[in-house]
Amino acid sequence: MVNTELKESNPQPKSSKASNRFSWLWTDYSVIIAFIIIFIAASIMSPRFLDINNQMNILMQVSIIGIISLGMTVVMLSGGIDLSVGSVLVLVGVISVLALNASGSIFIAILTACIIGSFAGFLNGLMVAKGRIASFIATLGMMAAARSIALYIANGGSISGKVSGFTAIANSDLWIIDYPIIIFLVMTVLVYVLMHKTRFGRYVYAIGSNEKAATLSAIRVDRIKLAVYSLVGLLVSVAAIIETSRLNSISSSSSGVSYELDAIAAVIIGGTRMTGGKGKILGTFFGVLILGILNNMMNLMNVSPHLQGFVKGLIIIVAVVFQKRE
């Protein structure tokens, strides 16, 4: 009798269970749901959208920003931000092409790119972790400095590669899948494992959630931050190699412009909080795809390119508003 009375006095409404289940589904998979909705809408709005060549084109177009966005996700999870990714990409591209032409070796060019990008990221981390400079200010300074150095080295123009075979990195394919797409997918898997299956990833989340508590928990916050910004620089190097290889040249004035905006937009759409400590690599992956689909649809519908930045800005604001409501 007592058990029966307890069950009757504390019933669990079915509507409440359904509401909780939907709330959990939306919280954890909202970006995937949004991706499916946008994909279906794009398919209805334009019959050309579902063409396999168009789909591969979307993935190709987002591969560079996608790789940068993976790094941006890591740094934003730690509670920071990196505004220098576009300028560092240009600097890495210019120096790697010079190394390529001077040595005649593609391997030397790739190694140079990785060293320069990682070092630039390390300097960002040094300013943030040791210099106690806000990441916004530190990376803003790096953004101006890296672009300025690239412009000086290239005399404000472009530098082209003179070694045959370098363009094969970004212009070859495996069956119908271009190499940049494969590189993007591989990088996504590697960063996912790093952030969700290793101690380093747990430490990054801990620092983003509460840096003081992380310090009191004996986490070497300074070292983790140095590693985070160095990782961003390394991923930017990979993106720079693809960008340079695709055109066999790099423009010191126009390449990499607004890449930081696109990367931040993809990360925020993917559900990563600006304050850090919450977000997923998988969310960023779908955030990148959403941006790619939106750009593709605006092009198919002949929307002025001058309005595309407005759409991205609006999406960022909407995404942040939804995060606030959570």
Side-chain angles (χ1 to χ4, degrees):
M1 287 291 293
V2 175
N3 291 337
T4 304
E5 290 176 359
L6 286 173
K7 289 179 181 178
E8 291 177 354
S9 62
N10 296 295
Q12 183 69 25
K14 291 183 179 180
S15 59
S16 178
K17 287 183 179 180
S19 177
N20 290 337
R21 190 178 296 113
F22 178 78
S23 177
W24 167 80
L25 186 67
W26 177 255
T27 300
D28 287 359
Y29 300 101
S30 57
V31 65
I32 299 178
I33 295 171
F35 167 77
I36 294 172
I37 293 172
I38 292 173
F39 188 91
I40 293 172
S43 303
I44 296 172
M45 293 172 67
S46 175
R48 290 183 293 167
F49 175 77
L50 289 177
D51 184 79
I52 187 64
N53 291 324
N54 186 59
Q55 295 296 306
M56 289 297 105
N57 180 56
I58 292 174
L59 290 173
M60 182 68 177
Q61 293 299 321
V62 302
S63 58
I64 293 174
I65 291 298
I67 293 170
I68 295 174
S69 298
L70 295 173
M72 189 69 76
T73 304
V74 177
V75 75
M76 287 177 67
L77 284 172
S78 71
I81 198 167
D82 191 344
L83 301 179
S84 67
V85 291
S87 296
V88 170
L89 181 144
V90 173
L91 179 62
V92 169
V94 168
I95 295 178
S96 62
V97 171
L98 290 177
L100 174 72
N101 294 338
S103 66
S105 170
I106 297 173
F107 174 76
I108 294 296
I110 294 174
L111 182 62
T112 301
C114 292
I115 292 173
I116 297 299
S118 299
F119 182 68
F122 177 79
L123 289 180
N124 281 333
L126 204 62
M127 289 187 285
V128 174
K130 300 297 185 181
R132 305 296 178 185
I133 301 174
S135 59
F136 181 90
I137 302 299
T139 58
L140 186 65
M142 178 61 73
M143 178 177 73
R147 177 73 67 174
S148 179
I149 294 172
L151 287 167
Y152 175 77
I153 294 174
N155 292 318
S158 300
I159 297 182
S160 301
K162 299 177 182 179
V163 177
S164 61
F166 182 64
T167 56
I169 296 174
N171 295 292
S172 300
D173 58 70
L174 183 63
W175 190 38
I176 61 169
I177 305 176
D178 296 305
Y179 281 177
I181 300 173
I182 296 173
I183 295 171
F184 172 41
L185 295 177
V186 170
M187 290 294 108
T188 301
V189 172
L190 292 177
V191 177
Y192 175 87
V193 172
L194 178 68
M195 292 306 298
H196 298 290
K197 304 295 180 181
T198 68
R199 182 182 299 176
F200 172 80
R202 292 194 294 272
Y203 285 173
V204 171
Y205 276 95
I207 293 170
S209 297
N210 192 322
E211 185 173 329
K212 186 174 182 180
T215 303
L216 295 175
S217 300
I219 295 175
R220 299 298 297 269
V221 174
D222 290 354
R223 291 186 179 181
I224 297 297
K225 285 187 176 181
L226 284 171
V228 163
Y229 285 92
S230 298
L231 176 62
V232 177
L234 180 61
L235 289 169
V236 169
S237 298
V238 176
I241 292 167
I242 296 173
E243 173 115 335
T244 307
S245 171
R246 187 164 64 179
L247 300 174
N248 197 32
S249 66
I250 189 81
S251 171
S252 61
S253 59
S254 61
S255 295
V257 174
S258 297
Y259 279 17
E260 57 279 346
L261 174 62
D262 290 338
I264 292 171
V267 174
I268 293 177
I269 292 170
T272 298
R273 291 189 181 278
M274 291 288 293
T275 52
K278 184 179 180 181
K280 295 180 180 179
I281 297 299
L282 189 62
T284 296
F285 176 77
F286 280 100
V288 169
L289 294 183
I290 288 173
L291 273 183
I293 291 174
L294 290 174
N295 285 334
N296 183 255
M297 279 308 301
M298 285 189 285
N299 289 331
L300 290 177
M301 298 176 68
N302 295 320
V303 175
S304 170
H306 301 298
L307 289 176
Q308 294 185 13
F310 168 76
V311 173
K312 293 174 187 175
L314 187 62
I315 290 171
I316 294 175
I317 294 172
V318 171
V320 173
V321 168
F322 271 100
Q323 288 183 6
K324 292 286 186 181
R325 291 179 64 182
E326 291 176 9

